[in-house]
Amino acid sequence: MSPSDFTIPPGSLVVVTGANGFIASHVVDQLLQAGFRVRGTVRSTKRGGWTVDYFNGKYGDGKFELIEVPEMGDPGAFDEAVKGAAGYIQMATPVMESYDPNVAVPNVVNGVLNGLKAAASEPSIKRFVMTSSSTAAVSPQPNKEFSVTPETWNDEVVKQAWIPPYKGVQKRLDVYTATKTESEKAAWKWVKENKPNFVLNAVLPNANMGTVLDVKGQGAPSTVGWIKALWNGFEGSEDLKENPPQYFVNVQDTARVHVAALLYPDVNNERLFAWAYPYNWNDILAILRKLYPNQKFIEDIPDLGRDLSKVTNDRAEELVKRFGRPGWTSLEDSIRDATVGWA
Ligand SMILES: NC(=O)c1ccc[n+]([C@@H]2O[C@H](COP(=O)([O-])OP(=O)(O)OC[C@H]3O[C@@H](n4cnc5c(N)ncnc54)[C@H](OP(=O)(O)O)[C@@H]3O)[C@@H](O)[C@H]2O)c1
């Protein structure tokens, strides 16, 4: 597709919230690469300041700017950020930070609604892309066959999240799940009721793996930390060993789906599943042993099971192909890209 057919022309300003994050930094990178200007928001310019040096170094001064939005849930949080923008990508969220749904759910719902309200107040904004999560549809259920479609919502786990006591690894995961499910539902409801000037699309990624853009600035962020934990035999992060088999996706493919949801006029009001293929820890161990034959890894983990779910991910893969890719990036390539940061 020619850039003249995009919903917003190259050179336009796009807001990306949580711009220093693992996935968001790739969205910023791809937008700058495609000739857009980006205004990133970060909670703290101290933590997120690396983005300015990194993107100015790569694309020249004046294409990327950074502003601090310390708390997405505060009233009017994004009102300044949207000024003069043509597109908005709502990526920021506290990932697994809270055990208490009474705190976490309203915080994230308000954060997303703040973004929608701010974007609606800026008539130049034509597209709003929300990063939801696979968990807004389902939680992994190894060895069970079921289908995941745009009509699937994780209401069961949302109910679980509200049952006390508010402690333990599973509760923290369920509370995160509740924030993603409730905030995505709230976004669709708000758009239906308020009919803003923009189109909403949601991207629901599963476990992201792949390149860390700036290892010095980001370390092993988010789900790359899972691979690093496995590399280290889960020492000091035993809870991650319990992560069930699920789907992975390459982080740059997830970013491509976001960019497509922002730019392609035929992508309208869609829930896009950025899920590549199912994996379990032993699949990653086999890849690590192949890539790093001199490195010692833990033995295979018994009885892991498999994710047998079937998801309607063909639409998102078709969008990835529009970027000249053959389809979803493989697990091996994603693990190789992720591990170069420390191997
Ligand atoms: N990684 C995955 O596999 C995966 C899978 C499904 C969905 N997602 C979704 O993808 C998005 C990005 O995730 P990620 O893995 O890239 O996570 P990440 O690297 O932790 O990035 C999260 C970003 O959100 C910011 N943030 C956290 N709490 C905030 C708050 N209360 N107010 C404002 N900003 C806040 C973080 O700021 P700090 O840097 O200051 O903490 C960071 O910039 C999230 O919406 C997540 O739910 C991720």
Side-chain angles (χ1 to χ4, degrees), residues 204-252:
L204 289 76
N206 212 308
N208 278 260
M209 302 184 182
T211 301
V212 177
L213 222 42
D214 185 72
V215 173
K216 203 159 151 264
Q218 294 173 287
S222 188
T223 32
V224 169
W226 298 9
I227 306 166
K228 192 155 192 196
L230 176 64
W231 178 283
N232 292 326
F234 297 111
E235 253 175 59
S237 48
E238 284 74 15
D239 53 325
L240 288 178
K241 192 175 174 182
E242 306 308 319
N243 274 354
Q246 54 197 279
Y247 279 63
F248 81 93
V249 61
N250 182 282
V251 65
Q252 282 158 311

Side-chain angles (χ1 to χ4, degrees), residues 18-24 41 43-44 47 69-73 90-95 97 107 131-134 176 180 205-208 221-223:
N20 61 318
F22 176 42
I23 304 174
T41 79
R43 269 205 282 204
S44 129
R47 252 196 320 279
V69 176
E71 175 46 64
M72 66 192 278
Q90 174 56 52
M91 180 74 75
T93 219
V95 179
E97 286 184 15
N107 175 241
T131 316
S132 183
S133 166
S134 56
Y176 168 73
K180 298 306 288 186
N206 212 308
N208 278 260
S222 188
T223 32

Side-chain angles (χ1 to χ4, degrees), residues 188-210:
W188 290 116
K189 181 168 181 277
W190 191 90
V191 164
K192 197 169 167 208
E193 289 173 0
N194 292 278
K195 300 183 180 45
N197 209 17
F198 54 73
V199 164
L200 171 67
N201 286 308
V203 181
L204 289 76
N206 212 308
N208 278 260
M209 302 184 182

Side-chain angles (χ1 to χ4, degrees), residues 129-145:
V129 182
M130 170 181 184
T131 316
S132 183
S133 166
S134 56
T135 62
V138 284
S139 298
Q141 298 166 56
N143 300 329
K144 191 173 157 194
E145 290 185 31

Side-chain angles (χ1 to χ4, degrees), residues 259-275:
V259 173
L262 181 81
L263 298 183
Y264 290 136
D266 63 313
V267 187
N268 283 301
N269 310 310
E270 294 193 42
R271 297 182 85 205
L272 299 160
F273 289 90
W275 301 25

